[in-house]
Amino acid sequence: MAGVELVRVLRGAVPFCIGNVNDTYRGMVLCRDGTQRHGVIKDLNVQQLVNELLATVLGRELGLPVPEGYLGFVPKGELGVNKVELNDGSGHLVFVSGDVGTPNLAQQITNHGQFVETILIHLLRKWQKLGDLYAFDAWIANTDRHRGNILIDGPNSIWLIDHGHAFTGPTWLPNDLDPATEYRHRLQEWMTDNLTATEKNDRGKEAGIFATRIAAMGVAKAVEESKAEFLLSPQAANAVVDFLMRRVQHVPSEAKRALGVPVLVS
């Protein structure tokens, strides 16, 4: 299982805004092997930082197209970030997502209108991992998969980003993590109605198959590899592990609910 690497955010990062709520920058980071990489740098609170890091590890381990993620260190006084400060006062921690250079769906709709929206929605309808995505978002209780959180630039260039509102939301506490709760599934609000009845059923079946892969995940290992244990209290870390392990059984039904597919009650 690939873990999250700690990287140094280099000087010169530039702020940008395309509807993002948190302070966001584009810049370079320095990796342990001495290489420099382009990244999207986000100043997040602790819960959102954990959400991004853990969702990145889980998604990539499951074969979903989530950009590589990093835990970034910003020295004190640089960039103006202020959310997660290190205890020694030397700087702050931020989330860094590999910059894949692909525009998001919402941005393209705004810039090019309904014709482009029709084309891109069609690409998503035919995307072989759409059922997996319904299952994944149901599993991690991602409440914010809106059009801006899918990057798309062709059938082979689809990326899943911005998981800060996963695990029930951006300010969750251990008691919020109820594995049996029906959390908001944003794909239901803008994607599901674009699918035919046959497509909905097929994606529901795929979500059920994907849930068996989820069940085989080493959740505790993923929490460790994401560095979430470094950022969370032991109680919160244990609550996340317990939530993910117990929620697996609800993934097929929650994915089908979001797809508008009848769920058989035994």
Side-chain angles (χ1 to χ4, degrees), residues 222-233:
V223 172
E224 177 186 344
E225 293 293 342
S226 71
K227 293 186 169 53
E229 288 185 328
F230 172 70
L231 297 162
L232 294 174
S233 68

Side-chain angles (χ1 to χ4, degrees), residues 69 84 113 244 261:
V84 180
L244 289 170
V261 175

Side-chain angles (χ1 to χ4, degrees), residues 144-214:
D144 200 35
R145 183 75 67 195
H146 55 72
R147 293 176 180 87
N149 290 344
I150 292 184
L151 309 182
I152 181 169
D153 196 21
N156 299 314
S157 184
I158 297 175
W159 297 90
L160 311 175
I161 64 165
D162 288 353
H163 297 95
H165 287 233
F167 305 102
T168 76
T171 57
W172 61 266
L173 297 172
N175 288 339
D176 297 323
L177 301 178
D178 181 357
T181 293
E182 295 182 358
Y183 297 103
R184 185 181 188 183
H185 199 305
R186 289 292 294 272
L187 286 175
Q188 181 181 21
E189 299 172 17
W190 64 269
M191 186 63 202
T192 296
D193 284 347
N194 292 289
L195 304 175
T196 66
T198 297
E199 288 172 336
K200 292 175 183 178
N201 279 308
D202 288 347
R203 301 299 84 78
K205 292 175 183 176
E206 291 164 2
I209 294 170
F210 194 70
T212 64
R213 293 180 55 195
I214 290 173

Side-chain angles (χ1 to χ4, degrees), residues 230-244:
F230 172 70
L231 297 162
L232 294 174
S233 68
Q235 178 193 11
N238 290 335
V240 170
V241 171
D242 182 68
F243 171 79
L244 289 170

Side-chain angles (χ1 to χ4, degrees), residues 36-71:
Q36 296 183 16
R37 300 181 186 179
H38 293 276
V40 175
I41 302 150
K42 299 172 68 175
D43 190 20
L44 305 173
N45 66 25
V46 169
Q47 289 95 333
Q48 290 184 82
L49 181 55
V50 167
N51 292 354
E52 290 277 19
L53 294 169
L54 182 52
T56 293
V57 170
L58 294 172
R60 289 175 66 84
E61 182 68 13
L62 288 166
L64 292 171
V66 179
E68 193 163 5
Y70 308 91
L71 181 59

